[in-house]
Amino acid sequence: MAGRLLKLSSLATALFASSGFYLNSRQLDLNDLSVIRFGRAAATTAVISYDYLTAFKHVEYGTEEYWALKSKVHRRSAERLLDLCCANRGTFIKVGQHLGALDYLLPEEYTSTLKVLHSRAPQSSMEEIQKVIREDLGKELSELFVSFEEKPQGAASLAQVHKAVLHDGRTVAVKVQHPKVQTQSSKDIVVMELLVRVVHWLFTDFAFLWLVEEAKKNMPLELDFLNEGRNAEKVANMLSHHTFLKIPMIHWDLSTKRILTMEFAEGGQVNDTDYMKKHGINVNKISENLGKLYSEMIFVHGFVHCDPHPGNVLVRMCPQSKKTEIILLDHGLYQSLEEDFRVNYCRLWQALIKGNMSKVEQYSRRLGAGDLYPLFACVLTARSWTAVSSGISSVPVTNSEDVEIRTNAALYLPQISELLNRVPRQMLLLLKTNDLLRGIETTLQTRASSSSFINMSRCCIQAMARHKRSKVQSRRRRLQINLAESLCLWQLTLYELYLWVKASMLVHWFSALLAFVQ
C-alpha cells in the first residue's frame, strides 16, 4: 500500500513539475489550469497519506511516544494542507477556512494551522477588479464613483472589498469577486471529491465526504452576490426589533452576481478587545447581544447566518445614538432549518441546559445521532460528558475541561467522522457556527455565561409556543399556550433579576471587604 502511494506521489509530482515548466515557458498563470491544480492537490494528498501510513510502523499504539508522534504528523500534514490551500486559492481556501473553524471536531494541530487562512486570502490586481466592474456594470470606475481606494479593506477567499464614494457623496463598500473563482470552483470541488474518496478508501475511518457535499451545495450560492444581498435584506427585516444590530443597506443598481455594493460600515472586529476597551464597549454586552441574535435566528426563525468569524462581525459605538452596535457582514452563507429539525434541536438544547438526560438521548436520536448520542451532546456543547450529565448551565467551563475536549477531538476522530455522516446535513453548518461563536466567547472570556443560557432558553420557549400555536385551531387552546409561554418567560425574567441582584450584592460585599482590609 505504501509503495503504491510512493509511486503515485512521484508520478503526480513529475507530472506537476513538467507541466509547470512547459506552461511557465509560455508565460501562463499555472493556477488557471485544472491539470496543475489537480496535480498539486493529488501530490499533497499522496504525501500526507504516505506519512500517516508509514510514520507509526515502529511505535506501539497508545504509548506516550505514539501520541507525541501523532501530534507531529498532524502538524506537518496540516502545514502541507495549508500550503496547498494558499497555492490553489479560491475554493481550497474556503474549505480550509471551514476546517479551521471546527475547533472541537478536529485535532488542534489542524484547526490552529488552518485558522491563518482567514488572514491569508489572495488579492486580485486593480486591473482585474476594473475588468470585472467594466464587464458587469458596463462603465468605468470614474463614471460610477468619485473615488475608489485601490487597497482593499479586506480580501477573502472568493472576493475582496474596496471603499468607494458615490457621486452623491455617500460612502460605500464594493465587494468584487475574484475573476477566476467562478470558472475554477466547480472543477475544484470535483477534484476534492475524488481525492476525499481515495483517502477514505485508504483509511476507512476517514469519512469527510460531508465536507465536499456541503461545499458542492453552498459554493454556487456564495458565488451569487445577488443571493447574498437578498439574505442581508431578509435578516435585516427579520431582526429589525434589535436596535443594536446593523446590516449594511444594499445598492441594487450597482450590484450583480459578481459585484455587491453596500453601505460602508466601520468598526472593530468582535475579537479585538483593545479596540473595545479604547472605545468604551462592554464585552459582556456584546457577547450577550450576539447570543440573542443567534439564538433567535436558530430557534425562532430557522434562518441562520453561518459564517460569524471575527472578520464578519464588527462592533462600534454608534456616532448618532452613542450606543453599542453589532455590524453583521458577509451574508452569502445561510442555513434554512426545516420545521421538524428546528423543533427537535430546540427541545434538545432545553434538555441540555436542564441536564435532562433521557430527553437528551431522545432528541439526539431523533436528530440522527443514534448510539453516538453521548458524543453528539459533547460535540454540540463542547463540554465533557460529566458537565452534560449535570446540566451545562450549572457547571462552569474550566481550562482543564477545554483541554480534555480538544484532546478527545483527536482521540475520537473516527467516531466524530461517523457522527457527522449520520446527522442531517442542516446540522453541519450549525456545528461550524457554534464553534465560531464559541471562539468569539473564549476570546472575550464570556464563555458559557448565565446570560447566554437565559437567552437560549427564552428563544426556545418562544419557538416551542409558536410551533404549538401553528398546530391548533381552538381559541381556548391558543390562549392556554400564550399564558403558559408568558408564565415561563416571566419565571425566566425573575431568575435573571435574581442573578443580577446576587451579583450586585457580591460586588458590594467584596468592595466593603476591601475597604475594611485597607
Side-chain angles (χ1 to χ4, degrees), residues 320-446:
Q320 287 80 33
S321 67
K322 303 299 178 187
K323 291 183 179 179
T324 303
E325 284 186 339
I326 292 175
I327 304 164
L328 202 57
L329 305 174
D330 197 344
H331 300 271
L333 186 59
Y334 270 76
Q335 180 68 274
S336 294
L337 307 180
E338 294 171 4
E339 179 78 0
D340 286 347
F341 175 91
R342 183 175 59 82
V343 169
N344 285 323
Y345 190 68
C346 183
R347 285 171 171 155
L348 173 58
W349 269 104
Q350 285 181 308
L352 287 165
I353 290 169
K354 295 174 183 176
N356 186 333
M357 297 316 295
S358 63
K359 294 292 184 184
V360 167
E361 179 180 355
Q362 179 185 347
Y363 293 114
S364 294
R365 288 183 181 277
R366 282 195 189 180
L367 289 168
D371 293 335
L372 292 175
Y373 74 88
L375 178 64
F376 180 54
C378 295
V379 162
L380 196 58
T381 58
R383 302 296 304 273
S384 67
W385 182 244
T386 303
V388 170
S389 302
S390 305
I392 56 174
S393 62
S394 59
V395 182
V397 179
T398 62
N399 286 333
S400 59
E401 184 189 10
D402 220 27
V403 171
E404 179 189 342
I405 291 293
R406 291 177 183 275
T407 303
N408 285 344
L411 292 176
Y412 295 106
L413 188 58
Q415 290 89 340
I416 290 173
S417 295
E418 184 186 346
L419 176 66
L420 294 177
N421 278 289
R422 280 189 189 186
V423 296
R425 301 296 91 183
Q426 300 167 81
M427 182 63 71
L428 301 175
L429 282 179
L430 283 187
L431 291 172
K432 174 199 171 186
T433 305
N434 285 346
D435 275 355
L436 286 168
L437 291 172
R438 268 193 289 264
I440 292 171
E441 288 179 342
T442 300
T443 303
L444 300 181
Q445 297 183 337
T446 57

Side-chain angles (χ1 to χ4, degrees), residues 235-256:
V235 82
N237 292 329
M238 190 175 83
L239 301 175
S240 59
H241 53 284
H242 291 299
T243 55
F244 59 81
L245 175 64
K246 172 75 176 172
I247 306 286
M249 186 187 72
I250 306 299
H251 292 266
W252 289 108
D253 57 324
L254 294 172
S255 297
T256 68

